Amino acid sequence: MSTQENTATAALRSSYFPAPRTAVSGLFLLNGTFMGAWAPKIPEFASRLSLSESQLGLMIVGFGIGSLVLMPLAGILIAHLGTSRAVRGATIAFIPTMLLLSLAPNIWTGAIAIFLFGGLTGAMDIAMNANAVEVEKSMRRAIMSSCHAFWSLGAFLGATTGGYLIETIGVLGHAGLLTALAIAGLAALWTSILHDRPHPTETRQKVRLPMSPLPWLIGIMALFTMIPEGAILDWGALYMRDELGASLALSGFAFGAFSATMAIMRFAGDHVRDRFGAVRTLRVSSVLAIVGMMMAGFAPNAYLAMVGFAICGIGISNMVPIAFSAAGNLPGFAQGVALSVTTVMGYSGSLFAPSSIGFIAEYTSFGLIFTALPALLLVVLLLSKHAVHADVHERH
């Protein structure tokens, strides 16, 4: 390494928020904003294409299928090209998707648009998580939790401003404004994105699905964390209203309490992981998530359930970021491929498990489901020793 590169690396490690960290955080914010902005567009999208509820449900499944198809392809590109090229390319391809969704005139073009939206969201997700792993390595400091916090912040901003902007400047105006802001944001971040090259072992390695169980075990950790997360986000409010007698306003706090504690702890999570290590952090987080979920499931009233969901948010907040960091740092694996396995497995839980939970709840109850889901978190606790790979700064 040259003297100039040594100086740059030292500066990167000494600064708390260097330009590459700002850039990858900005990419998470951009992606989250688009995802949040999609939520208030759904009613107009369904109305414009004259979709029934079942047809809209199939469209949303198409979003998930797009993610699962393009995520592994993004992993292959990362292994061959490096994270910086992959994340730039994925972001450029992703930005126009909001306009495509707003311009689609019929069901078939709408299906293509939503497939691309889901697929390119997933591709960008893989690439920006991989780039965040590279920034973590260069800084010798955890940043993944705060990156996911920026995603949550973007989703909040996109969701809360979307309806107002659609009413004020119209569907195309809203999409055009988002697209223009995203282009400007990417241009501002472009040169700050951490440039990396494929690792020497990755350029020689034939990219294929890992035969070793380790990436799949970390994928199970992500999957079994995101199923309970999706269950709370999709069914928590209905549980509080229908089974605990909460008012419509109070039932919304199931999501509010969970998401608020999750966002706060994601901004704090990197400090916690740097202080106590990924394994200990994951173990304590798993226990808190189990306790919170059990408290919500056994709660005699909505207020105790809300406290349970808040505790669960504290626990779950940093479990997925730790799993992603561990997957991105597995020794002997092409980074993009190992990370894509974990990400695809994790997001498949949040995409497809909630519908299964709704079906089961028709024959049992949400309370019973929330008391059973901690069994998945117990598996994460048992696998927590593999989180040691997230602590890359310990091995430099």
Side-chain angles (χ1 to χ4, degrees), residues 109-185:
T109 54
I112 293 170
I114 203 167
F115 176 87
L116 290 173
F117 181 57
L120 292 168
T121 297
M124 183 180 173
D125 195 293
I126 289 278
M128 65 192 187
N129 273 287
N131 190 255
V133 169
E134 292 298 319
V135 176
E136 282 191 327
K137 289 178 181 177
S138 64
M139 293 181 66
R140 297 184 184 178
R141 178 181 293 151
I143 70 159
M144 187 66 79
S145 291
S146 66
C147 285
H148 283 251
F150 277 106
W151 189 95
S152 299
L153 177 61
F156 173 78
L157 292 173
T160 53
T161 60
Y164 171 78
L165 289 172
I166 290 171
E167 285 186 354
T168 306
I169 60 179
V171 173
L172 282 178
H174 171 240
L177 178 61
L178 274 179
T179 303
L181 289 174
I183 291 171

Coordinates of all heavy atoms in Angstrom, one line a residue, residues 109-185:
T109 N -48.3 -3.8 -18.0 CA -47.1 -2.9 -17.7 C -47.0 -2.6 -16.3 O -45.9 -2.5 -15.8 CB -47.4 -1.6 -18.5 OG1 -48.7 -1.0 -18.1 CG2 -47.3 -1.8 -20.0
G110 N -48.1 -2.6 -15.5 CA -48.0 -2.5 -14.1 C -47.3 -3.6 -13.4 O -46.5 -3.4 -12.5
A111 N -47.5 -4.9 -13.9 CA -46.8 -6.1 -13.4 C -45.3 -6.0 -13.6 O -44.5 -6.3 -12.8 CB -47.4 -7.3 -14.0
I112 N -45.0 -5.5 -14.9 CA -43.6 -5.4 -15.2 C -42.9 -4.3 -14.3 O -41.8 -4.5 -13.8 CB -43.4 -5.1 -16.7 CG1 -43.8 -6.2 -17.6 CG2 -41.9 -4.7 -17.0 CD1 -43.9 -5.9 -19.0
A113 N -43.6 -3.2 -14.1 CA -43.1 -2.1 -13.3 C -42.9 -2.5 -11.9 O -41.8 -2.2 -11.3 CB -44.0 -0.9 -13.4
I114 N -43.8 -3.3 -11.3 CA -43.7 -3.6 -9.9 C -42.7 -4.8 -9.7 O -42.0 -4.8 -8.7 CB -45.1 -4.1 -9.3 CG1 -45.0 -3.9 -7.8 CG2 -45.5 -5.5 -9.7 CD1 -46.4 -4.0 -7.1
F115 N -42.5 -5.6 -10.7 CA -41.4 -6.6 -10.7 C -40.1 -5.9 -10.7 O -39.2 -6.3 -9.9 CB -41.6 -7.5 -11.9 CG -40.4 -8.6 -12.0 CD1 -40.5 -9.8 -11.4 CD2 -39.3 -8.3 -12.8 CE1 -39.5 -10.7 -11.5 CE2 -38.3 -9.2 -12.9 CZ -38.4 -10.4 -12.2
L116 N -39.9 -4.9 -11.6 CA -38.6 -4.2 -11.6 C -38.4 -3.4 -10.4 O -37.3 -3.3 -9.8 CB -38.6 -3.3 -12.8 CG -38.5 -4.0 -14.2 CD1 -38.7 -2.9 -15.3 CD2 -37.2 -4.7 -14.4
F117 N -39.5 -2.8 -9.8 CA -39.4 -2.0 -8.6 C -38.9 -2.9 -7.5 O -37.9 -2.6 -6.7 CB -40.7 -1.4 -8.2 CG -40.7 -0.6 -7.0 CD1 -39.9 0.5 -6.9 CD2 -41.6 -0.8 -6.0 CE1 -39.9 1.3 -5.7 CE2 -41.6 -0.1 -4.8 CZ -40.7 1.0 -4.7
G118 N -39.5 -4.1 -7.3 CA -39.1 -5.0 -6.3 C -37.7 -5.6 -6.5 O -36.9 -5.7 -5.6
G119 N -37.4 -6.0 -7.8 CA -36.1 -6.6 -8.1 C -35.0 -5.6 -7.9 O -34.0 -5.9 -7.3
L120 N -35.2 -4.4 -8.4 CA -34.1 -3.4 -8.3 C -33.9 -2.8 -6.9 O -32.8 -2.4 -6.5 CB -34.3 -2.3 -9.3 CG -34.1 -2.7 -10.8 CD1 -34.6 -1.7 -11.7 CD2 -32.7 -3.1 -11.0
T121 N -35.0 -2.8 -6.1 CA -34.9 -2.5 -4.7 C -34.0 -3.5 -4.0 O -33.1 -3.2 -3.2 CB -36.3 -2.5 -4.0 OG1 -37.2 -1.5 -4.6 CG2 -36.2 -2.3 -2.5
G122 N -34.3 -4.8 -4.3 CA -33.5 -5.9 -3.7 C -32.0 -5.8 -4.2 O -31.1 -6.0 -3.3
A123 N -31.8 -5.6 -5.5 CA -30.4 -5.5 -6.0 C -29.7 -4.3 -5.3 O -28.5 -4.5 -4.9 CB -30.4 -5.3 -7.5
M124 N -30.3 -3.2 -5.2 CA -29.7 -2.1 -4.5 C -29.4 -2.4 -3.0 O -28.4 -2.0 -2.4 CB -30.5 -0.8 -4.7 CG -29.9 0.4 -4.0 SD -30.9 1.9 -4.2 CE -30.0 3.1 -3.2
D125 N -30.4 -3.1 -2.4 CA -30.3 -3.4 -1.0 C -29.0 -4.3 -0.8 O -28.3 -4.0 0.2 CB -31.6 -4.2 -0.6 CG -31.7 -4.3 0.9 OD1 -30.9 -5.0 1.5 OD2 -32.6 -3.7 1.5
I126 N -28.9 -5.3 -1.6 CA -27.7 -6.2 -1.5 C -26.4 -5.4 -1.6 O -25.5 -5.5 -0.9 CB -27.7 -7.3 -2.6 CG1 -28.8 -8.3 -2.3 CG2 -26.4 -8.0 -2.7 CD1 -28.5 -9.4 -1.3
A127 N -26.4 -4.5 -2.7 CA -25.2 -3.8 -3.0 C -24.8 -2.8 -1.9 O -23.6 -2.6 -1.5 CB -25.3 -3.1 -4.3
M128 N -25.8 -2.1 -1.4 CA -25.5 -1.0 -0.4 C -25.1 -1.7 1.0 O -24.3 -1.2 1.7 CB -26.6 0.0 -0.2 CG -27.9 -0.6 0.3 SD -29.2 0.7 0.2 CE -30.6 -0.1 1.1
N129 N -25.7 -2.9 1.3 CA -25.3 -3.6 2.5 C -23.8 -4.1 2.3 O -23.1 -4.0 3.3 CB -26.2 -4.8 2.8 CG -27.4 -4.4 3.6 OD1 -27.3 -4.1 4.8 ND2 -28.6 -4.3 3.0
A130 N -23.5 -4.5 1.1 CA -22.1 -5.0 0.9 C -21.1 -3.8 1.0 O -20.0 -4.0 1.5 CB -22.0 -5.7 -0.5
N131 N -21.5 -2.7 0.5 CA -20.7 -1.5 0.5 C -20.5 -1.1 2.0 O -19.4 -0.7 2.4 CB -21.2 -0.4 -0.3 CG -20.2 0.8 -0.5 OD1 -20.4 1.8 0.1 ND2 -19.2 0.6 -1.3
A132 N -21.6 -1.2 2.8 CA -21.5 -0.8 4.2 C -20.5 -1.8 4.9 O -19.8 -1.3 5.8 CB -22.9 -0.9 4.8
V133 N -20.5 -3.0 4.5 CA -19.5 -4.0 5.1 C -18.1 -3.5 4.8 O -17.2 -3.5 5.7 CB -19.8 -5.4 4.6 CG1 -18.6 -6.3 5.0 CG2 -21.1 -6.0 5.1
E134 N -17.9 -3.1 3.6 CA -16.5 -2.6 3.2 C -16.1 -1.3 4.0 O -15.0 -1.2 4.4 CB -16.5 -2.3 1.7 CG -16.6 -3.5 0.8 CD -15.4 -4.5 1.0 OE1 -14.3 -4.0 1.2 OE2 -15.6 -5.7 1.1
V135 N -17.1 -0.5 4.2 CA -16.8 0.7 5.0 C -16.5 0.3 6.5 O -15.6 0.9 7.1 CB -18.0 1.7 5.0 CG1 -17.8 2.9 5.9 CG2 -18.2 2.2 3.5
E136 N -17.3 -0.6 7.0 CA -17.0 -1.2 8.3 C -15.5 -1.7 8.4 O -14.8 -1.4 9.4 CB -17.9 -2.3 8.7 CG -19.3 -1.9 9.1 CD -20.1 -3.0 9.7 OE1 -20.0 -4.1 9.2 OE2 -21.0 -2.7 10.6
K137 N -15.1 -2.4 7.4 CA -13.7 -2.9 7.4 C -12.7 -1.8 7.4 O -11.7 -1.9 8.1 CB -13.5 -3.8 6.2 CG -14.3 -5.2 6.2 CD -14.0 -5.9 4.9 CE -14.7 -7.2 4.9 NZ -14.6 -7.9 3.6
S138 N -13.0 -0.8 6.6 CA -12.0 0.3 6.4 C -11.9 1.1 7.7 O -10.9 1.7 8.0 CB -12.3 1.1 5.2 OG -13.6 1.8 5.4
M139 N -13.1 1.3 8.4 CA -13.1 2.1 9.6 C -12.8 1.3 10.9 O -12.5 1.9 11.9 CB -14.5 2.7 9.8 CG -14.9 3.7 8.7 SD -16.5 4.4 9.0 CE -16.3 5.3 10.6
R140 N -12.8 -0.1 10.7 CA -12.7 -0.9 11.9 C -13.7 -0.5 13.0 O -13.4 -0.5 14.2 CB -11.2 -0.8 12.5 CG -10.2 -1.3 11.5 CD -8.8 -1.3 12.2 NE -7.8 -1.7 11.3 CZ -6.5 -1.8 11.6 NH1 -6.1 -1.4 12.8 NH2 -5.6 -2.1 10.7
R141 N -14.9 -0.3 12.5 CA -15.9 0.2 13.4 C -17.3 -0.3 12.9 O -17.5 -0.2 11.7 CB -15.9 1.7 13.6 CG -17.0 2.3 14.4 CD -16.8 3.8 14.5 NE -15.6 4.2 15.1 CZ -14.9 5.3 14.9 NH1 -15.4 6.1 13.9 NH2 -13.9 5.6 15.6
A142 N -18.2 -0.7 13.7 CA -19.5 -1.1 13.2 C -20.3 0.1 12.8 O -20.3 1.2 13.4 CB -20.3 -1.8 14.4
I143 N -21.0 0.0 11.6 CA -21.8 1.1 11.1 C -23.2 0.5 10.6 O -24.1 1.3 10.2 CB -21.2 1.9 10.0 CG1 -21.0 1.1 8.7 CG2 -19.8 2.5 10.4 CD1 -20.9 1.9 7.4
M144 N -23.3 -0.8 10.5 CA -24.4 -1.4 9.8 C -25.8 -1.0 10.5 O -26.8 -0.7 9.8 CB -24.3 -2.9 9.8 CG -25.3 -3.6 8.9 SD -25.2 -3.2 7.2 CE -23.8 -4.3 6.7
S145 N -25.8 -1.0 11.8 CA -27.1 -0.7 12.5 C -27.6 0.8 12.1 O -28.7 1.0 11.9 CB -26.9 -0.8 14.0 OG -26.8 -2.2 14.3
S146 N -26.6 1.7 12.1 CA -27.0 3.1 11.8 C -27.4 3.2 10.4 O -28.3 4.0 10.0 CB -25.9 4.1 12.2 OG -24.8 3.9 11.3
C147 N -26.8 2.4 9.5 CA -27.3 2.4 8.1 C -28.7 2.0 8.0 O -29.5 2.6 7.2 CB -26.4 1.5 7.2 SG -24.7 2.2 6.9
H148 N -29.1 1.0 8.7 CA -30.5 0.5 8.7 C -31.4 1.5 9.3 O -32.6 1.6 9.0 CB -30.6 -0.9 9.3 CG -30.1 -2.0 8.4 ND1 -30.9 -2.9 7.9 CD2 -28.8 -2.3 8.0 CE1 -30.2 -3.8 7.1 NE2 -28.9 -3.4 7.2
A149 N -30.8 2.3 10.3 CA -31.6 3.3 10.9 C -31.9 4.4 9.9 O -33.0 5.0 9.9 CB -30.9 3.9 12.1
F150 N -31.0 4.7 9.0 CA -31.2 5.7 8.0 C -32.3 5.2 7.0 O -33.0 6.0 6.5 CB -29.9 6.1 7.3 CG -29.1 7.1 8.0 CD1 -27.9 6.8 8.7 CD2 -29.5 8.5 8.0 CE1 -27.2 7.8 9.3 CE2 -28.7 9.4 8.6 CZ -27.6 9.1 9.3
W151 N -32.3 3.9 6.7 CA -33.3 3.4 5.9 C -34.7 3.6 6.5 O -35.6 4.0 5.9 CB -33.0 1.9 5.6 CG -34.0 1.3 4.6 CD1 -33.7 1.1 3.3 CD2 -35.3 0.8 4.8 NE1 -34.8 0.5 2.6 CE2 -35.8 0.3 3.5 CE3 -36.1 0.7 5.9 CZ2 -37.0 -0.2 3.3 CZ3 -37.4 0.2 5.7 CH2 -37.9 -0.3 4.4
S152 N -34.8 3.3 7.8 CA -36.0 3.5 8.5 C -36.5 4.9 8.5 O -37.7 5.2 8.3 CB -35.9 3.0 10.0 OG -35.6 1.6 10.0
L153 N -35.5 5.8 8.7 CA -35.8 7.3 8.6 C -36.3 7.6 7.2 O -37.3 8.4 7.1 CB -34.6 8.1 8.9 CG -34.7 9.6 8.8 CD1 -35.7 10.1 9.8 CD2 -33.3 10.2 9.1
G154 N -35.7 7.1 6.2 CA -36.2 7.4 4.8 C -37.6 6.8 4.6 O -38.4 7.5 4.0
A155 N -37.8 5.6 5.1 CA -39.2 5.0 4.9 C -40.2 5.9 5.6 O -41.3 6.1 5.1 CB -39.2 3.6 5.5
F156 N -39.9 6.4 6.8 CA -40.8 7.3 7.5 C -41.1 8.6 6.7 O -42.2 9.0 6.6 CB -40.2 7.6 8.9 CG -41.0 8.7 9.7 CD1 -42.1 8.3 10.3 CD2 -40.5 10.0 9.7 CE1 -42.8 9.3 11.1 CE2 -41.2 10.9 10.4 CZ -42.4 10.6 11.1
L157 N -40.0 9.2 6.2 CA -40.2 10.4 5.4 C -41.0 10.2 4.2 O -41.9 11.0 3.8 CB -38.8 11.0 5.1 CG -37.9 11.5 6.2 CD1 -36.5 11.9 5.7 CD2 -38.6 12.7 6.9
G158 N -40.7 9.1 3.5 CA -41.4 8.8 2.2 C -42.9 8.5 2.5 O -43.7 9.0 1.7
A159 N -43.2 7.8 3.6 CA -44.6 7.5 3.9 C -45.4 8.7 4.3 O -46.5 8.8 4.0 CB -44.6 6.3 4.9
T160 N -44.8 9.5 5.2 CA -45.5 10.6 5.8 C -45.7 11.8 4.8 O -46.7 12.5 4.9 CB -44.8 11.1 7.1 OG1 -43.4 11.4 6.8 CG2 -44.9 10.0 8.1
T161 N -44.8 11.9 3.9 CA -44.9 13.0 2.9 C -45.7 12.6 1.6 O -46.1 13.5 0.9 CB -43.6 13.6 2.5 OG1 -42.8 12.6 1.9 CG2 -42.9 14.1 3.8
G162 N -45.7 11.3 1.3 CA -46.2 10.8 0.1 C -47.6 11.2 -0.2 O -48.0 11.8 -1.3
G163 N -48.5 11.0 0.8 CA -49.9 11.3 0.6 C -50.2 12.8 0.3 O -50.9 13.2 -0.6
Y164 N -49.5 13.6 1.1 CA -49.6 15.1 0.9 C -49.2 15.5 -0.5 O -49.8 16.3 -1.2 CB -48.9 15.8 2.0 CG -48.8 17.3 1.8 CD1 -49.9 18.1 2.1 CD2 -47.6 17.9 1.3 CE1 -49.8 19.5 1.9 CE2 -47.6 19.3 1.1 CZ -48.6 20.0 1.4 OH -48.6 21.4 1.2
L165 N -48.0 15.0 -0.9 CA -47.5 15.4 -2.2 C -48.3 14.9 -3.3 O -48.5 15.6 -4.3 CB -46.0 14.9 -2.3 CG -45.0 15.5 -1.5 CD1 -43.6 14.8 -1.5 CD2 -44.8 17.0 -1.9
I166 N -48.9 13.7 -3.2 CA -49.7 13.2 -4.3 C -51.0 14.1 -4.4 O -51.4 14.4 -5.5 CB -50.1 11.7 -4.0 CG1 -48.9 10.8 -4.2 CG2 -51.3 11.3 -4.9 CD1 -49.1 9.4 -3.7
E167 N -51.6 14.5 -3.3 CA -52.7 15.3 -3.3 C -52.4 16.7 -3.8 O -53.2 17.4 -4.5 CB -53.3 15.5 -1.9 CG -54.1 14.3 -1.4 CD -54.8 14.5 -0.1 OE1 -54.5 15.6 0.5 OE2 -55.5 13.6 0.4
T168 N -51.2 17.2 -3.5 CA -50.8 18.6 -3.9 C -50.3 18.7 -5.3 O -50.8 19.6 -6.0 CB -49.7 19.1 -2.9 OG1 -50.1 18.9 -1.5 CG2 -49.4 20.6 -3.1
I169 N -49.4 17.9 -5.7 CA -48.8 18.0 -7.1 C -49.1 16.9 -8.0 O -48.6 16.8 -9.1 CB -47.3 18.2 -7.0 CG1 -46.6 17.0 -6.3 CG2 -47.0 19.5 -6.2 CD1 -45.1 17.1 -6.2
G170 N -49.9 15.9 -7.5 CA -50.4 14.8 -8.4 C -49.4 13.6 -8.4 O -48.3 13.7 -7.9
V171 N -49.9 12.5 -8.9 CA -49.1 11.3 -8.9 C -47.8 11.5 -9.7 O -46.7 11.1 -9.2 CB -49.9 10.1 -9.5 CG1 -49.1 8.9 -9.7 CG2 -51.2 9.9 -8.7
L172 N -47.9 12.0 -10.9 CA -46.6 12.2 -11.7 C -45.7 13.2 -11.1 O -44.5 13.1 -11.1 CB -47.0 12.6 -13.1 CG -47.5 11.4 -14.0 CD1 -47.8 11.9 -15.4 CD2 -46.4 10.3 -14.1
G173 N -46.3 14.3 -10.5 CA -45.5 15.3 -9.8 C -44.7 14.7 -8.7 O -43.6 15.0 -8.5
H174 N -45.4 13.9 -7.9 CA -44.8 13.2 -6.8 C -43.6 12.3 -7.2 O -42.5 12.4 -6.7 CB -45.8 12.4 -6.0 CG -45.3 11.5 -4.9 ND1 -45.4 10.2 -5.0 CD2 -44.6 11.8 -3.8 CE1 -44.9 9.6 -3.9 NE2 -44.3 10.6 -3.2
A175 N -43.9 11.5 -8.2 CA -42.9 10.6 -8.7 C -41.7 11.4 -9.4 O -40.5 11.0 -9.2 CB -43.5 9.6 -9.8
G176 N -42.0 12.5 -10.1 CA -41.0 13.3 -10.7 C -40.1 14.0 -9.7 O -38.9 14.0 -9.9
L177 N -40.7 14.5 -8.6 CA -40.0 15.1 -7.6 C -39.0 14.2 -6.9 O -37.8 14.5 -6.7 CB -40.9 15.8 -6.6 CG -40.3 16.5 -5.4 CD1 -39.4 17.6 -5.8 CD2 -41.3 17.0 -4.4
L178 N -39.6 13.0 -6.6 CA -38.7 12.0 -5.9 C -37.5 11.6 -6.8 O -36.4 11.4 -6.3 CB -39.6 10.7 -5.6 CG -40.3 10.7 -4.3 CD1 -41.1 9.4 -4.2 CD2 -39.4 10.8 -3.1
T179 N -37.8 11.4 -8.1 CA -36.8 11.0 -9.0 C -35.7 12.0 -9.2 O -34.5 11.7 -9.1 CB -37.4 10.7 -10.4 OG1 -38.4 9.7 -10.3 CG2 -36.4 10.2 -11.4
A180 N -36.2 13.3 -9.3 CA -35.2 14.4 -9.4 C -34.3 14.5 -8.1 O -33.1 14.7 -8.2 CB -35.9 15.7 -9.6
L181 N -35.0 14.4 -6.9 CA -34.2 14.5 -5.7 C -33.2 13.3 -5.6 O -32.1 13.5 -5.1 CB -35.2 14.5 -4.5 CG -36.0 15.8 -4.3 CD1 -37.0 15.6 -3.2 CD2 -35.1 16.9 -4.0
A182 N -33.7 12.1 -6.0 CA -32.8 11.0 -6.0 C -31.6 11.1 -6.9 O -30.4 10.8 -6.5 CB -33.6 9.7 -6.3
I183 N -31.8 11.7 -8.1 CA -30.7 11.9 -9.0 C -29.7 12.9 -8.5 O -28.5 12.7 -8.5 CB -31.2 12.4 -10.4 CG1 -32.0 11.2 -11.1 CG2 -30.1 12.9 -11.3 CD1 -32.8 11.7 -12.3
A184 N -30.3 14.0 -7.9 CA -29.4 15.0 -7.3 C -28.6 14.4 -6.1 O -27.4 14.7 -5.9 CB -30.2 16.2 -6.8
G185 N -29.3 13.6 -5.3 CA -28.6 13.0 -4.1 C -27.5 12.0 -4.5 O -26.4 12.0 -4.0

